[in-house]
Structure formats: C-alpha cells, structure tokens
Amino acid sequence: MTPNQQEYLKKIHSIQENLAKTWAEYWQHYSTPGSWQFWVTLGAFILPLVILYFLIDRKKAFHLGFYGFNVHVWFHYSSL
C-alpha cells in the first residue's frame, strides 16, 4: 500500500469516527425515551394499529392485508 493510499484511509477513518459520534449525539438528544419526539413517533406507529385492531372487519382482514401488500409491492416496483 502506498503512503498516499494510507493517508486517504486514515482520513476516511477519522471522518467515519466523527460521523458515528455525531449520530450518537443526535440519538441521545432526540431519540431517547426521555424526549417528546420519541413518544410522538411511537404513538404515530402504535395508535393506528390499536384503532385498526378494534375497527377491522375480521371476515375481510385477509383481503385487506393482501390488498395492502399488493399496493406496497407495486409501488416498490414502480419506484425502481
């Protein structure tokens, strides 16, 4: 390995360390259970599922699930 190549690898490694530290700081500030953003995100995920559990027509649950999966797959393929 050339000295120039080693220098670039050291530079990349230091940038990756700084990025990892920055992500950890961000998580500690905005994504811990002590922050309001965490609870809003968790509520936005769980609340519709609870409402759906009580309001879904159990006889058509398979059809609705298959429809949702089908739409998801079609949108995924259309975005490629």
Side-chain angles (χ1 to χ4, degrees), residues 46-58 64:
I46 301 251
L47 188 62
L49 293 175
V50 170
I51 293 170
L52 181 67
Y53 178 78
F54 289 112
L55 297 180
I56 194 168
D57 182 7
R58 303 243 189 306
L64 291 171

Side-chain angles (χ1 to χ4, degrees), residues 3 5 9-10 12-13 15 18 20 23-24 26-30 39-41 43 45 53 60 65 67-68 76 80:
Q5 194 175 7
L9 286 175
K10 286 180 184 177
I12 290 170
H13 181 68
I15 291 171
N18 289 338
W23 273 114
Y26 174 82
W27 188 86
Q28 289 173 350
H29 284 104
Y30 299 108
W39 293 107
V40 168
T41 304
F45 178 70
Y53 178 78
K60 295 184 180 182
Y67 173 77
H76 176 74
L80 296 177

